[in-house]
Amino acid sequence: MLTLSEITMLHNLQVPEWTVEEVVMWVNKIGFKEHSAAFADSSVDGDILLALSDADIRDDIGITNGIQRKRFMRELKNLKKNADYGCADDHGATANFLAKISPDFRAYTYNLVNNDLSYDYLLRLDPSSLDDMLKYVGIESAIHRHKIVEAVVNASEDEDTMLERLYLDSSEPTDIYISYPRAGGGAELASLISMQMQIKGYKVISAPHDGKTVSEAVKNQVRGSKFYVLILPVGALDNCLVTNSNSQGESQYQPCRLYWEVTTALQHGIDIIPVTLDFQWPEMTELPAEMRALCHYNFVRWAHEYQDHCIDRLEKYMHQDPNLLRTNADSPSTILTRTSGRSTPQIQLAASPRMKPRHRTPSVDSAIGGFSPAPSTTFLSGLM
């Protein structure tokens, strides 16, 4: 007969915090008392229990009978479905999200949160990366992974809709609108810059630009902002490239959300500051004609090792003459650039995009800015 303390312990469903003794009690309760010593000898606590696989049960615990293992794994799955993950999950957000897909999916909660895949982080991943992550944390069923990815995509769209409604309700002007892709580290960099600029007193709104459409609410928010900061990790402009032609040889392009955001900012004279992260600019002619002016804007080349310096340069950029945000787009043979340690602009002759830039000794300034061969016949310069 169980003691009062043992009954109390068995009603404690904060499994990640279970001690070895609590795990042994649970093993006994579900009918595997003959194997409880193996759990004790292996010091299996709640954290380890939730991570056990069929192979662990067979090889380390010693349940060699296949039918008994299936029964044990069924009991473990039920425990995972009903466990209290509040001690590990942020207010149960991940567990609640999975439960909305299916009550059975709640059993995957610890797979995710134990690998830092919180609900908030899931929303930042593109479908392909998310599927890879789900495989990595041990979700073997392709059908289950597909359902989780589909639910995350739908949740992301719902979140974007909610943000857009907030934009409609907001009458206050915004200092900075940060636009970013969820993939390639774009979401993390946008979050970092947003936090740092808010600390400095700026009113900031950030939103992902993934997708094909954009509402008038988002366009209005871009129009009403003083600065449009565009996060550009690897391949960030790929969806905007004009690469296909019709039967007549004419270029075809289906506008995406980023296209509408950038063209809105350009049409209304909003100061644009691209922030690149290991990004290579495409040929200017590969972009739609309405977006090509983006290539004439100086940019901040982000370097994680010089994070504070990058933020300082970004803020300094916002306070300088807006005319210096753009290179001399009217003259394709020259552009106006700024180089490290110089306060006087200098003229740099244009070069072929295939021409390699001269190598420089690495420094803080060269990590953040410098000359980059621009599309077609002009240079783009990093923020200095």
Side-chain angles (χ1 to χ4, degrees):
M1 184 175 179
L2 295 176
T3 66
L4 179 61
S5 61
E6 289 174 330
I7 294 174
T8 301
M9 291 175 68
L10 287 175
H11 281 83
N12 170 25
L13 289 178
Q14 291 190 336
V15 182
E17 296 185 339
W18 274 6
T19 64
V20 174
E21 290 75 18
E22 288 173 301
V23 169
V24 169
M25 287 174 54
W26 176 78
V27 171
N28 291 339
K29 175 179 176 289
I30 64 173
F32 286 85
K33 188 173 183 178
E34 66 273 23
H35 297 287
S36 60
F39 281 88
D41 292 342
S42 298
S43 300
V44 178
D45 57 14
D47 176 60
I48 296 175
L49 176 65
L50 291 170
L52 290 180
S53 65
D54 184 89
D56 296 329
I57 298 301
R58 181 192 64 218
D59 300 336
D60 300 321
I61 301 301
I63 305 179
T64 56
N65 184 290
I67 294 177
Q68 287 189 357
R69 282 203 313 278
K70 287 181 182 295
R71 187 161 63 85
F72 181 89
M73 296 304 292
R74 182 183 64 190
E75 294 291 342
L76 181 57
K77 181 179 179 181
N78 288 333
L79 178 67
K80 291 179 178 180
K81 285 165 53 178
N82 295 290
D84 179 357
Y85 298 103
C87 56
D89 187 15
D90 183 20
H91 303 293
T94 307
N96 292 336
F97 166 70
L98 292 172
K100 289 179 180 179
I101 303 173
S102 167
D104 288 344
F105 279 46
R106 200 174 186 277
Y108 293 130
T109 301
Y110 208 61
N111 296 64
L112 300 179
V113 299
N114 198 39
N115 287 278
D116 297 323
L117 288 179
S118 64
Y119 173 66
D120 181 62
Y121 189 72
L122 294 178
L123 296 177
R124 300 180 183 183
L125 297 174
D126 63 275
S128 178
S129 298
L130 177 55
D131 186 67
D132 290 341
M133 288 288 190
L134 295 177
K135 287 181 186 177
Y136 175 77
V137 302
I139 301 179
E140 298 177 356
S141 170
I143 295 176
H144 286 192
R145 291 199 307 272
H146 175 75
K147 288 184 176 181
I148 293 174
V149 170
E150 185 178 49
V152 168
V153 171
N154 291 336
S156 299
E157 292 175 352
D158 290 343
E159 185 181 71
D160 293 347
T161 300
M162 290 178 64
L163 284 173
E164 291 176 9
R165 288 174 181 170
L166 288 174
Y167 298 159
L168 283 171
D169 294 337
S170 177
S171 58
E172 297 182 17
T174 302
D175 294 317
I176 306 170
Y177 184 101
I178 301 177
S179 179
Y180 63 89
R182 289 190 175 93
E188 291 78 5
L189 181 53
S191 177
L192 173 62
I193 293 176
S194 176
M195 178 183 67
Q196 293 293 329
M197 300 314 287
Q198 287 182 71
I199 290 174
K200 291 176 178 289
Y202 293 92
K203 180 175 175 55
V204 181
I205 285 180
S206 63
H209 57 236
D210 305 299
K212 293 295 183 181
T213 61
V214 63
S215 70
E216 282 301 315
V218 172
K219 290 183 182 179
N220 288 337
Q221 195 63 44
V222 172
R223 294 184 192 108
S225 301
K226 297 177 182 177
F227 298 95
Y228 178 77
V229 174
L230 177 59
I231 307 297
L232 296 173
V234 176
L237 291 179
D238 286 357
N239 289 336
C240 296
L241 300 183
V242 181
T243 56
N244 301 318
S245 299
N246 59 21
S247 57
Q248 287 76 38
E250 299 171 335
S251 296
Q252 293 181 315
Y253 175 68
Q254 183 66 38
C256 61
R257 171 166 173 159
L258 179 56
Y259 167 90
W260 291 115
E261 287 188 9
V262 171
T263 54
T264 297
L266 290 170
Q267 290 168 4
H268 291 82
I270 308 303
D271 294 331
I272 300 176
I273 306 178
V275 178
T276 67
L277 180 65
D278 299 324
F279 175 79
Q280 294 293 324
W281 288 91
E283 294 285 346
M284 185 185 296
T285 53
E286 293 179 326
L287 291 172
E290 301 87 353
M291 287 186 67
R292 292 174 188 172
L294 176 67
C295 297
H296 294 292
Y297 282 83
N298 292 316
F299 61 92
V300 178
R301 182 182 299 158
W302 187 268
H304 287 299
E305 60 268 37
Y306 304 121
Q307 172 183 311
D308 292 340
H309 198 66
C310 290
I311 292 293
D312 290 342
R313 291 294 186 179
L314 179 59
E315 185 177 28
K316 183 178 180 180
Y317 214 177
M318 295 176 179
H319 290 294
Q320 69 181 19
D321 185 345
N323 292 324
L324 294 179
L325 290 176
R326 295 189 61 178
T327 61
N328 187 356
D330 297 329
S331 176
S333 61
T334 60
I335 68 163
L336 193 62
T337 67
R338 293 174 66 111
T339 57
S340 175
R342 298 180 183 177
S343 58
T344 304
Q346 69 174 28
I347 298 297
Q348 178 73 29
L349 293 177
S352 165
R354 306 302 177 197
M355 184 181 296
K356 295 183 178 180
R358 184 171 55 192
H359 291 290
R360 297 192 298 170
T361 303
S363 65
V364 172
D365 286 329
S366 65
I368 292 175
F371 298 130
S372 297
S376 296
T377 58
T378 185
F379 272 110
L380 287 175
S381 69
L383 170 62
M384 297 313 307

